[in-house]
Amino acid sequence: MGESKLAGQFFDAAIGLLQKVRDEDAADIAAAGTVIAEAVAGGGRLFAFGAGHSSLAAQDVVYRAGGLAVMNLLAVPGVVGVDVMPATLGSALERVDGLAGAVLDSSPARAGDVLIIISLSGRNALPVEMAMNARALGLTVIGVTSVAYATETKSRHVSGTFLKDHCDIVLDSHIAVGDAELTHEGIEAPFAPASTVVTSALMQATMAAAAEELVRIGIEPPLLRSGNVDGGHEWNGRVMAEYGDRIFFRH
């Protein structure tokens, strides 16, 4: 069998977007890495949040080989992904006022911590309120979003604002409104979303920038190793013991 034309087109689209964020978001990625490194160096804690498919990029930097041990998932029940039944409930919960505030108030997050909020559209009540409340609590907020939505859609938050309006640093994924890269004759709806590929790359690039900055200021980055390589469990045990007071994904 030959190659799929549409598969190749998706790779081309994804590669183009990755090149765009590498070139246009470089300064913001570096700034976000510095903020994260300074929090680690100063005893702060790190949290990542995303709703629906945006949660995939948040989960991608939590408790994983090659990742910072002190990155925690700020989970909102029912919106982490398609684990809720019906799946449409998760989308509905993103529009509920007050939910983000309740989650933050019951979380370990405090002033001086860093919260990364991932929301492709940035228009729903949950990420907007999460950013507003987090900043009010004294957290530094890094938003990962598609800024295009702020000019081409309307906010669903009572303030009329978007996630990008309440962040200390914004990383723009440059994903087009609708999150589908391809169209094809005979296929009625656009398809092949690239937001997960691009947003996860933004997150990993930011973690790399943080590790680089930690080394620059003389601190060994608290990275986890794969448990599937010899010595991995011992390494991780040492890191988790040293940073245990900042790790919330275990008892």
Side-chain angles (χ1 to χ4, degrees):
M1 293 186 64
E3 295 180 5
S4 165
K5 176 182 176 183
L6 291 178
Q9 288 180 359
F10 175 76
F11 279 117
D12 289 343
I15 290 167
L17 283 163
L18 289 170
Q19 289 176 327
K20 190 176 184 69
V21 297
R22 181 189 64 185
D23 296 340
E24 298 187 16
D25 291 18
D28 293 322
I29 291 169
T34 296
V35 162
I36 291 168
E38 289 175 347
V40 173
R45 293 88 60 78
L46 309 176
F47 299 90
F49 164 77
H53 285 92
S54 289
S55 74
L56 295 174
Q59 294 177 61
D60 193 46
V61 294
V62 177
Y63 185 55
R64 69 162 307 146
L68 291 173
V70 291
M71 178 61 75
N72 302 277
L73 185 69
L74 185 65
V76 178
V79 306
V80 172
V82 293
D83 61 332
V84 62
M85 292 289 286
T88 49
L89 176 60
S91 299
L93 287 172
E94 289 185 60
R95 306 180 191 183
V96 174
D97 293 322
L99 181 57
V103 169
L104 270 175
D105 288 344
S106 61
S107 79
R110 65 189 184 194
D113 293 346
V114 175
L115 173 60
I116 303 173
I117 300 176
I118 306 169
S119 174
L120 179 62
S121 72
R123 67 188 295 226
N124 287 311
L126 188 56
V128 174
E129 182 189 331
M130 187 76 77
M132 294 173 72
N133 285 33
R135 289 180 98 187
L137 288 172
L139 278 74
T140 299
V141 176
I142 299 169
V144 185
T145 187
S146 171
V147 173
Y149 277 83
T151 57
E152 298 180 38
T153 69
K154 290 185 177 180
S155 170
R156 290 182 175 137
H157 187 256
V158 64
S159 67
T161 60
F162 288 76
L163 169 61
K164 74 172 187 65
D165 300 317
H166 306 285
C167 298
D168 297 284
I169 299 170
V170 175
L171 304 181
D172 187 0
S173 63
H174 298 282
I175 298 292
V177 173
D179 191 20
E181 294 302 317
L182 302 182
T183 57
H184 189 68
E185 184 179 353
I187 301 176
E188 294 298 321
F191 57 100
S195 60
T196 304
V197 172
V198 176
T199 304
S200 291
L202 273 170
M203 292 293 287
Q204 294 297 350
T206 299
M207 297 305 112
E212 181 179 12
E213 178 62 16
L214 280 166
V215 169
R216 193 191 69 78
I217 61 179
I219 297 174
E220 180 186 345
L223 295 168
L224 295 173
R225 289 182 180 268
S226 171
N228 296 315
V229 299
D230 292 341
H233 286 299
E234 291 77 12
W235 172 281
N236 292 342
R238 178 182 63 80
V239 172
M240 287 190 172
E242 183 176 348
Y243 287 89
D245 60 334
R246 293 188 252 174
I247 296 172
F248 304 105
F249 48 76
R250 62 170 197 165
H251 293 297

